[in-house]
Amino acid sequence: MHNKQILSVLFTLLASLSAFSQSGKITGKLVNGSTGDVLIGASILLNGSTRGTTTDQNGTYSFSNLKPGTYSITCSYVGLEKKTVEAIVVKANEVTTQDVVLSVAASTEIIIRSNRINKDNTSALLLTQKNSPNFSDGISAEAIRRTPDRSTSDVLKRISGAAIQDDKFAIIRGINDRYNAAFINGAPLPSSESDKKSFAFDIFPSNILDNLVILKTATPDQTAEFGGGIINITTKSIPDKDFQTISFGLGFNTNSTFKTQKYYKHGRWDFLGLDDGGRELPFNFPNKEQYKSLTFDEKGKFGKALGVYDWKLYSGFTTPNISFQYATGITMQKKGKDFFGGILSITYNRSYDSYAGQRNTWEATVNSPIPSIQIGNYKDRVYTQETLLGVLANFSFKLNNFNTVSFKNLLSINSDDRVVLREGWSDFQANDIYDRNTAYWFTSNFIVNSQVTGEHFIKAAKLKVNWIGSYSNIKRNIPNLRRMQYRGSLATGEYFANIDQGISAITEGAGIHFFSKNGEILYSGKVDISRAFSIGKLIKHEIKTGLNYQNRDRDFDARTLQVLRYQIPNTNSFDPSILKLPVEDIFDKTNFGKLGRGKTGFLIEDGSQARDGYNGVSTTLAFYGMMDTRVGKFARFIYGARLEDFKQTLTSLGAGFNDTVKVFNNQYRFFPSVSGVFSLTKKINLRLAYSETVNRPEFRELAPFVFYDIAQNLSISGNPLLKNSLIYNTDFRLEFYPGRSQLVSFSVFNKEFKYPIEIFIIPATTNFATYDFVENANVRGAEFEFRTIIGPIFNIDKGPLSNLTLFSNLAIIKSEVSLLGGTVANAKRRLQGQSPYIINGGLTYLDADKGYSFNLIANRVGPRILALGGNGTPDYFENARTVVDFQAACTLKKNLELKLNVRDLLAQQLVFFQDFNANNKYEPDVDLIFGARNFGRVFSLNISYKF
């Protein structure tokens, strides 16, 4: 049977089994109260029966097929106290979770009554975080449900020290997004972008997440390639019971809903986030090499082939945003124990937006105290349609208590279709030429990730063996970015298409077609082996070793075609009257080639550069060894080293077709790390850590390809001379766990960068940028986080205040760059992309008995450098902006839930400016705005039903 048939059978099975038996289930996890470790092989008896079980390699247990009623269990483990938990209520078709904490053996058995059950469950949850070997912060699926977040990028904003740029790229500890590593279920994800080293987290819907964790310090068992943090997305896995849920939502955007939307002719598959081929070049259109050999007449004839594209701009009525999710899960048992589990989830979101903006250009001021002179002034109106489709299919086979094999699959399609209308002066200092620009820009991101994982415990040897094999395929397609430009005068009202006889500058011209395809395949494998042993009664060790392999293969290709005048040499054959035609008529196929009566129209020229394509391959082979040593109840030390053998090659052409660019980057290096955790009291941890990590250039940053981003009015090229950036990290954290899901923590960190990579505006230009490096940089900061229940502050244990939680996290960061190397000579400044502060905070009210909750959440990120000016030219900044979200939710009849979400209550304008007085903040009377955009408030209502 083929794989597709097997998956089809499994999906059908999952979708069809929706009838639940009238029985319940008890499940949970056993944890060592002294160390926080899960207990493998612990015994659990279901009192009053002959049934018993043991915990598996994850410390979990379960009793299934229980009739509704009240039960008790007794838990025991060699060397630890025996504990009985009573008054466990089991309901029909429901799962009761009962985690248990066992401590050092006492002389008497401990009995837990029903009023301590919740407390015990909370203790197990807090112990997991408290005893983590890393400095980490995260968010659970339950917390995600209580936010209005639609995508994973929205969720990231809720985590301490994290922020989001451009609605999709993660900023950790205020440091540029290129310094982060993205993982899914422990397997690496490649960069989703063809034009930067970043992963777009808006690709994944938030409702497929089980949790999201950011690791901020290094341990040998994690990749050494990060500077800000490792972001690990864990998708939903095996359910505790069979279920089906369906949800539907409608959203209202104050900028766009029920208002006029501008759009062009779409393809049949746009609603799925995919192009149907209608935007692509015709099948028989010559490739780059073939086109170079065509005659003048042939280029005119082939222009007719591009007359199939509809350039007409339509107006329509904008419907509300929509969201939909269907999820189903199934569990199967063998001999009364869990054997198979699966979950299938389909998520679909479609949203619309319309916003105003501006783009300005300024005369480059090099080493001069005179303020820049404004050259260009454009006003934008942008209309967008975004589609997000996610399919999750995870299956797991529990062969026995000590062996589990899982198969996890994710398909995500994300598309952004926009119409950009821009008009204004490109240079009103020199003339009265007024431009009217139009762009049709469709981008589709397609990602497939499949994983096979195994978790094993070899009881005789006391070995834990975990392994994972992963395959990722990411495709980014811009099938036909079309740009049109008319030029004329506001005074006369007469406009002509800006079409000349030669190729225009990259930022100008009419009838431009840009095509690009970026495809990357990533294979990775990982094996971890660990064993615990003791030396006497005081010292306990866990030794862990492992092997990692990763292979990335990227192919990128771009092509630019442009409409030109077809003018026979030494004649005036071109008919200029067609330049006055409107956009829906001007590129009709009848206007290409020879028109008759000795007149000629347009032809198509291939304006592609030799460097508009590259191939990149990288391999990483890593081996690590580490030791986790516990000295009594007070101290814990995690130490070891990771050896990475990294090879990277990139092949491209340069400025000319005979100019080959080859990059070979090889690094063979140990990356040591050491950390200590000191339990000052049962509720207070002190953590210290030191590690060495690396940040390597991305393929795009090395490639000489130049891409013009019309939205930013910026052209960016790569730099083959970039180096690996080494990072030396020192961290300190003090944690306090008062109980009842409360937390207070304070962290201090310092990072020394060698050869950090940044984006620079090329001197003496206004909108051309490249990547370069500087000699050294230092980033240091502090983080403060607290989460507290209001009631205990006033000695109130019941009532509304006991249901109210206040939480906040604040990161304050300072960076300083040494400019001994590189090509830029600004005065002392920040690291490019680094924010001076990040603030997250909010209030949560949850009444579990009555089934309703309220959440008010705020986020603010300080101003950060988008690109460096250099040589006296002011740096380009993104200004600070405060985002406030709200959610109200209620549960009706247990299975029906309603949510009201409000995103971006303040709807503050986002401003991009040049910091002329170099004080790192926006001052309207001094600084120069080079861009801005407005936002709308988004109101949505979602209804969910669980079968």
Side-chain angles (χ1 to χ4, degrees), residues 719-733:
N719 180 359
L721 302 178
L722 297 178
K723 299 182 179 182
N724 297 326
S725 176
L726 295 175
I727 310 165
Y728 304 91
N729 311 276
T730 306
D731 293 83
F732 164 90
R733 175 179 284 190

Side-chain angles (χ1 to χ4, degrees), residues 45 67 98 159 177 204 251 278 308-309 386 429 473 583 653 669 683 751 753 808 820 875 924:
L45 295 177
K67 294 181 179 180
Q98 180 60 64
I159 300 177
D177 53 339
F204 298 130
V308 299
Y309 302 121
E386 294 185 10
Q429 296 291 334
N473 189 342
V583 68
L653 294 175
R669 191 179 192 278
K683 296 184 178 182
K751 296 177 180 290
F753 290 78
S808 179
L820 300 178
D875 295 329

Side-chain angles (χ1 to χ4, degrees), residues 640-853:
R642 183 181 184 89
L643 173 64
E644 290 196 353
D645 183 7
F646 174 77
K647 294 182 175 66
Q648 180 184 47
T649 60
L650 182 134
T651 304
S652 176
L653 294 175
F657 281 92
N658 296 321
D659 180 15
T660 302
V661 175
K662 278 188 172 291
V663 177
F664 180 68
N665 180 13
N666 180 234
Q667 184 183 58
Y668 185 84
R669 191 179 192 278
F670 280 97
F671 295 94
S673 64
V674 59
S675 60
V677 184
F678 303 94
S679 300
L680 305 183
T681 70
K682 290 184 178 181
K683 296 184 178 182
I684 299 177
N685 272 352
L686 172 65
R687 296 177 179 267
L688 300 171
Y690 172 81
S691 62
E692 296 178 12
T693 58
V694 66
N695 185 251
R696 302 177 178 114
E698 181 56 65
F699 296 127
R700 170 63 185 98
E701 296 169 340
L702 295 168
F705 166 67
V706 180
F707 174 70
Y708 172 60
D709 185 338
I710 188 173
Q712 299 294 334
N713 197 27
L714 189 67
S715 300
I716 303 177
S717 66
N719 180 359
L721 302 178
L722 297 178
K723 299 182 179 182
N724 297 326
S725 176
L726 295 175
I727 310 165
Y728 304 91
N729 311 276
T730 306
D731 293 83
F732 164 90
R733 175 179 284 190
L734 189 64
E735 302 169 335
F736 174 48
Y737 296 86
R740 294 188 64 184
S741 298
Q742 299 178 100
L743 168 68
V744 179
S745 70
F746 175 73
S747 306
V748 176
F749 62 90
N750 184 78
K751 296 177 180 290
E752 299 288 342
F753 290 78
K754 184 77 171 178
Y755 306 128
I757 297 171
E758 302 179 292
I759 299 176
F760 298 89
I761 299 296
I762 298 174
T765 70
T766 57
N767 54 2
F768 283 83
T770 189
Y771 300 93
D772 208 338
F773 63 90
V774 292
E775 186 75 13
N776 295 295
N778 171 257
V779 177
R780 54 191 180 276
E783 295 174 302
F784 175 71
E785 179 180 13
F786 73 88
R787 182 172 64 249
T788 184
I789 301 172
I790 300 298
I793 297 176
F794 300 98
N795 294 319
I796 298 175
D797 292 328
K798 296 182 180 181
L801 288 181
S802 65
N803 297 325
L804 187 64
T805 300
L806 174 67
F807 60 92
S808 179
N809 54 77
L810 166 67
I812 300 175
I813 311 105
K814 183 177 181 180
S815 65
E816 187 174 299
V817 172
S818 169
L819 300 166
L820 300 178
T823 61
V824 182
N826 272 3
K828 186 186 299 183
R829 60 161 174 81
R830 295 179 188 168
L831 186 69
Q832 183 264 319
Q834 182 262 313
S835 298
Y837 61 85
I838 299 172
I839 304 172
N840 296 308
L843 279 169
T844 296
Y845 182 86
L846 173 63
D847 191 323
D849 295 331
K850 295 182 180 179
Y852 61 83
S853 65

